[in-house]
Amino acid sequence: MDPVIIVGAGPVGLTLALALARQEVPSVVLDEGPGKDEPRPARTIVLREDTAALLERLTGAPLAELGSHWAGWRSMRRKQVMREITFDGTEPAPLHIAQHVLTGALRHALAGERLVKISVDNRLDSVEQESSGVTAHTRGPKGTWWRGSYLVGCDGPRSTVRKLLDIRFPGRTAVERHAVAALRTELPWPDEALLHRAPPWRTSGPSAGEVTGRPLPDGVWRLDWLLPPGKDLVTPELLLARIRETLAGWTDGSTPPYELLDTGVHTVHHRLARRWRVGRVFLAGDAAHLLGALGTQGLDEGLRDADNLAWKLASAWHHGPHEALLDSYQAERRAVVAARLRAADQALPLVRGGAGLRAVVPGSARGHDSLLTDGHLGRGPLGAPGAYADSPLAPRHLEGEVPVDTLPGAPVADVLVTAEDGSFVRLRDRLGRGSLLVVLVAPGTGVWERKHWVTAGVMPRLAAAVTALPHPAELLVAESYPGAAAHTVLLVRPDGHLVTALSGVRPADLYAAAEAALGGPAKTEATAGSR
């Protein structure tokens, strides 16, 4: 069968290629550039716990050593500290990393991957599809025709794939603008990120009502100043004045020594593609959505797109197309991103609405601070990983379903489990292999050798039920799971979202849930590519 064609060699496209390769699916990545990224210290990414874990699992790279896990977070208003958070293990710290460093780690992992071919200096200019596959043409020094089973446009905000498919991309332009600088200096809060609203020193040019400082390795910081609405030019002189007054304000004196490494202007747009799938062609990442106001991170959602789509394409590639399963990519991911955009658009007038609201609503400044903290730290409706509560893949009417602390459709907790070979691993380490995961909650098994319990109690019956499922599945055992009673059985998708929790071994319910998670009973490919 032909490989999957991935258009775009940014973090989302490279992540998708690795995720497919881990599931034995070949791909061709069409890179319109030279195959390497220019170092830009001011262009950085904040990764939440789940997306950082996804990338570490795929690359095998120690991302924590390549970026900076924040030791804490503080938010200030004028001279007052509004909130301080210490990341001590009870709350996961975001990972801050330069984009070119992350892309380099992905390219390094792909360099030895036999199932992935990266073709540089290739710019897409046409796409044709029929029921059996996709044909793409590229121009450039190495321009040629490419044949694939599917094609995924990961080619950014100005996506050629999206334009060739004539998919509308409505939304809002320049929701926020930020002046950005990366510099090496010493600040009073080593390794702590900082959000400072209405700083008292605002003297240079148009009022800068908000500044964010995020640490990177080797004493480097990224500073972002929220710019007022409009298209005022950010001159080098204005930016240098902002740097000096901000550093002096934070150190209560004269400007400390600093080395300026990079600058830029970051403009946030909010847009959402009308369709994410047309036949055998899909959109992912910035080609499908743009968001990022109030501290949210658009790349997180792009990486979740890749994780969601990879196992569904892998299932179609290995077992034949299942239209309901492939359709669920758009249904699930677009709904989550749309909800995040709605939350940001609703919060923007409150947070950026000026002093009038603060004057009449007691405590509103603290409420605004909570919203911004959620966006920056990946919590709440602005930042937390989305759940597929209304997914078309959700099973219906399971007699044995029981509640646990994870809602159906939400990402599972990363508990310690025992694998089939008797080894102890994290549940998250078993994701992304294309298999369903069946987790039995069995307190006490951790102190016994596998040979003593694998043939005891409910295990033989559960193992037989897992073998009979309509898709490859791996049986795991956990000592405990949040909110789950003993002998609870969890069914988990390959991307780590909970399908259901059952009270005990219920083969019929387990089979029905697995079948639903795959899009329902398989049907013949009558309409593939005809959309």
Side-chain angles (χ1 to χ4, degrees), residues 198-248:
W201 59 78
R202 300 175 296 170
T203 59
S204 60
S207 173
E210 184 176 301
V211 56
T212 306
R214 303 181 182 96
L216 286 161
D218 302 322
V220 176
W221 290 78
R222 170 173 164 166
L223 306 186
D224 289 60
W225 293 267
L226 177 65
L227 297 172
K231 298 181 180 180
D232 294 338
L233 182 65
V234 181
T235 64
E237 293 77 16
L238 177 61
L239 187 55
L240 287 173
R242 289 267 172 88
I243 292 171
R244 294 184 185 119
E245 70 181 13
T246 299
L247 295 182

Side-chain angles (χ1 to χ4, degrees), residues 384-425:
Y388 307 137
D390 299 320
S391 169
L393 305 183
R396 305 288 190 267
H397 311 303
L398 298 177
E399 181 180 339
E401 191 167 34
V402 293
V404 296
D405 286 358
T406 302
L407 294 174
V412 292
D414 187 26
V415 298
L416 189 68
V417 295
T418 306
E420 293 182 354
D421 61 3
S423 61
F424 292 98
V425 295

Side-chain angles (χ1 to χ4, degrees), residues 26-305:
S27 64
V28 173
V29 180
L30 302 182
D31 184 355
E32 68 176 51
K36 60 181 180 180
D37 295 313
E38 176 189 359
R40 289 292 311 275
R43 191 176 186 185
T44 64
I45 299 162
V46 179
L47 299 173
R48 316 310 189 196
E49 181 190 26
D50 63 316
T51 50
L54 167 67
L55 291 170
E56 288 183 338
R57 185 172 71 245
L58 291 175
T59 64
L63 295 186
E65 299 175 11
L66 301 176
S68 173
H69 271 299
W70 301 339
W73 165 269
R74 68 176 57 212
S75 55
M76 300 177 64
R77 181 171 178 79
R78 298 187 177 92
K79 295 183 179 181
Q80 180 183 3
V81 176
M82 306 290 287
R83 175 173 297 188
E84 289 185 271
I85 297 173
T86 300
F87 299 115
D88 55 4
T90 57
E91 181 170 0
L95 176 65
H96 189 207
I97 187 170
Q99 181 165 321
H100 71 271
V101 172
L102 174 59
T103 305
L106 288 163
R107 289 187 185 275
H108 180 76
L110 285 165
E113 180 52 67
R114 62 180 177 82
L115 291 176
V116 180
K117 173 183 175 60
I118 299 180
S119 185
V120 301
D121 298 320
N122 268 288
R123 182 175 179 81
L124 183 77
D125 62 10
S126 71
V127 174
E128 300 174 2
Q129 60 174 315
E130 63 278 343
S131 61
S132 60
V134 180
T135 302
H137 184 266
T138 56
R139 55 185 171 86
K142 300 181 180 180
T144 187
W145 291 95
W146 303 86
R147 182 66 180 174
S149 54
Y150 297 93
L151 185 145
V152 185
C154 304
D155 49 344
R158 297 178 177 86
S159 170
T160 300
V161 174
R162 189 184 65 241
K163 293 173 183 176
L164 290 172
L165 295 178
D166 196 26
I167 296 175
R168 292 184 59 204
F169 198 38
R172 300 170 59 195
T173 299
V175 177
E176 290 184 348
R177 283 199 316 149
H178 298 261
V180 183
L183 49 89
R184 184 176 284 109
T185 190
E186 289 188 16
L187 292 178
W189 315 282
D191 301 322
E192 290 188 10
L194 168 73
L195 170 67
H196 199 160
R197 304 186 71 211
W201 59 78
R202 300 175 296 170
T203 59
S204 60
S207 173
E210 184 176 301
V211 56
T212 306
R214 303 181 182 96
L216 286 161
D218 302 322
V220 176
W221 290 78
R222 170 173 164 166
L223 306 186
D224 289 60
W225 293 267
L226 177 65
L227 297 172
K231 298 181 180 180
D232 294 338
L233 182 65
V234 181
T235 64
E237 293 77 16
L238 177 61
L239 187 55
L240 287 173
R242 289 267 172 88
I243 292 171
R244 294 184 185 119
E245 70 181 13
T246 299
L247 295 182
W250 281 346
T251 55
D252 294 324
S254 59
T255 303
Y258 69 91
E259 177 188 1
L260 184 59
L261 304 175
D262 191 20
T263 63
V265 174
H266 174 53
T267 303
V268 175
H269 308 289
H270 279 181
R271 294 188 178 278
L272 186 65
R274 293 289 191 194
R275 302 179 67 185
W276 292 27
R277 180 192 180 196
V278 178
R280 289 177 172 264
V281 181
F282 300 80
L283 299 177
D286 286 352
H289 51 77
L290 294 175
L291 68 163
L294 305 178
T296 58
Q297 295 290 322
L299 180 62
D300 262 340
E301 295 301 346
L303 296 173
R304 291 172 185 139
D305 293 345

Side-chain angles (χ1 to χ4, degrees), residues 331-348:
E332 291 180 343
R333 293 299 308 145
R334 192 177 186 280
V336 164
V337 176
R340 182 140 303 155
L341 283 169
R342 283 195 300 272
D345 286 343
Q346 290 168 1
L348 270 166

Side-chain angles (χ1 to χ4, degrees), residues 310-325:
W311 75 271
K312 296 171 181 178
L313 285 179
S315 178
W317 198 89
H318 287 295
H319 308 296
H322 194 314
E323 294 304 297
L325 181 62

Side-chain angles (χ1 to χ4, degrees), residues 316-451:
W317 198 89
H318 287 295
H319 308 296
H322 194 314
E323 294 304 297
L325 181 62
L326 295 175
D327 280 342
S328 73
Y329 165 67
Q330 172 178 306
E332 291 180 343
R333 293 299 308 145
R334 192 177 186 280
V336 164
V337 176
R340 182 140 303 155
L341 283 169
R342 283 195 300 272
D345 286 343
Q346 290 168 1
L348 270 166
L350 300 178
V351 177
R352 308 296 189 215
L357 182 66
R358 293 194 297 272
V360 298
V361 181
S364 61
R366 291 190 178 275
H368 299 171
D369 174 77
S370 296
L371 283 170
L372 289 167
T373 297
D374 284 349
H376 282 280
L377 301 186
R379 308 187 308 188
L382 288 180
Y388 307 137
D390 299 320
S391 169
L393 305 183
R396 305 288 190 267
H397 311 303
L398 298 177
E399 181 180 339
E401 191 167 34
V402 293
V404 296
D405 286 358
T406 302
L407 294 174
V412 292
D414 187 26
V415 298
L416 189 68
V417 295
T418 306
E420 293 182 354
D421 61 3
S423 61
F424 292 98
V425 295
R426 306 301 305 185
L427 178 56
R428 195 174 273 156
D429 293 338
R430 313 308 283 186
L431 301 176
R433 303 182 179 200
S435 298
L436 297 169
L437 302 180
V438 178
V439 183
L440 171 66
V441 180
T445 52
V447 301
W448 300 98
E449 289 187 39
R450 179 179 181 276
K451 64 182 181 181

